[in-house]
Amino acid sequence: MIIKTSDFVKSAVTKSQYPEDKRLEIAFLGRSNVGKSSLINALTNRRKLAKVSSTPGRTRLINYFLINDDFHLVDLPGYGYAKVSKSEKAAWGKIIEEYLMSSETLTRVVLLVDSRHKPTADDIMMYEWINYHNYDVVVIATKSDKVSKNDIRKNEKLIKDTLKLKPEHRLIFFSSVKKDGREDLINTLFEDLASK
């Protein structure tokens, strides 16, 4: 699949603000500093489609992007950022949970983890939650350019074991800097969502 167009549609906080056009959705979810915006920009080949901040925790809304005038890529708020209040963390959690529970067109969840580290307790909880609700999930290990080839195999096992990754759920290492395997990743994530 080739991404020809990618456009910001709107931001939302509650269900009443979600788009009403019934297009299929694929949601991107991960910790605040895992590189979600960079990944979205790398996939769409647009440097500033999703806002990248040097300060984690800036994505506080649900952001919708229209891909090929066909389906929505949905950027959810990051979780697990330590330098915010408990009440703010709880508010972000409610935004994420309401979306995941009530979106009628959500088809796949892409869970991002940092390829350099063992998944956090928040990552594990999120993966278990996605599984419990029977969403199709792809796990992407970001920032793979910062991991040696020898360590990628070791970290792959660590991530799979820590998350207790199901055999049918894919784990893909990707670097938003190098973009190696970008086309394959796009096909894995989007091809079956595109209108035939």
Side-chain angles (χ1 to χ4, degrees):
M1 186 192 122
I2 297 171
I3 294 180
K4 296 176 181 175
T5 60
S6 51
D7 299 292
F8 172 74
V9 177
K10 68 184 302 187
S11 296
V13 175
T14 63
K15 184 178 180 180
S16 63
Q17 299 168 330
Y18 299 168
E20 297 179 353
D21 57 16
K22 303 301 180 188
R23 286 183 169 96
L24 293 180
E25 295 173 0
I26 178 168
F28 282 58
L29 187 58
R31 286 188 298 122
S32 294
N33 58 348
V34 79
K36 203 153 35 74
S37 298
S38 296
L39 175 64
I40 290 169
N41 291 340
L43 290 175
T44 57
N45 222 12
R46 295 204 32 206
R47 285 185 4 187
K48 297 181 180 179
L49 182 65
K51 291 180 182 175
V52 178
S53 173
S54 57
T55 306
R58 287 298 173 94
T59 304
R60 302 177 185 201
L61 304 169
I62 301 169
N63 292 311
Y64 289 83
F65 303 96
L66 182 59
I67 306 299
N68 289 353
D69 199 29
D70 194 7
F71 60 89
H72 286 129
L73 187 162
V74 184
D75 183 13
L76 295 173
Y79 57 78
Y81 186 49
K83 295 182 182 179
V84 296
S85 66
K86 286 185 178 179
S87 61
E88 195 163 5
K89 277 187 188 177
W92 293 353
K94 283 183 181 176
I95 291 170
I96 295 168
E97 185 174 13
E98 182 183 24
Y99 169 78
L100 292 173
M101 291 288 288
S102 62
S103 171
E104 296 173 3
T105 51
L106 177 61
T107 264
R108 176 171 297 130
V109 179
V110 180
L111 178 64
L112 277 61
V113 298
D114 192 321
S115 66
R116 302 169 296 177
H117 307 296
K118 181 178 179 179
T120 66
D122 286 330
D123 293 329
I124 296 167
M125 182 178 68
M126 197 56 68
Y127 180 70
E128 289 175 348
W129 195 96
I130 294 165
N131 268 324
Y132 178 79
H133 291 281
N134 294 316
Y135 285 115
D136 179 36
V137 61
V138 177
V139 179
I140 297 181
T142 61
K143 307 181 183 182
S144 65
D145 56 294
K146 298 180 180 180
V147 181
S148 71
K149 287 185 179 178
N150 288 338
D151 283 341
I152 279 188
R153 285 188 179 177
K154 184 176 71 176
N155 291 10
E156 181 177 12
K157 184 178 188 308
L158 178 65
I159 292 168
K160 284 182 175 178
D161 291 349
T162 304
L163 292 179
K164 298 187 174 85
L165 197 72
K166 289 185 174 181
E168 66 268 24
H169 291 163
R170 289 149 294 184
L171 171 62
I172 300 167
F173 281 72
F174 186 74
S175 163
S176 297
V177 176
K178 293 188 174 179
K179 299 184 185 179
D180 291 341
R182 174 181 170 270
E183 289 78 13
D184 289 340
L185 181 57
I186 287 171
N187 287 336
T188 297
L189 296 179
F190 302 140
E191 192 164 45
D192 60 334
L193 304 186
S195 297
K196 303 301 181 190

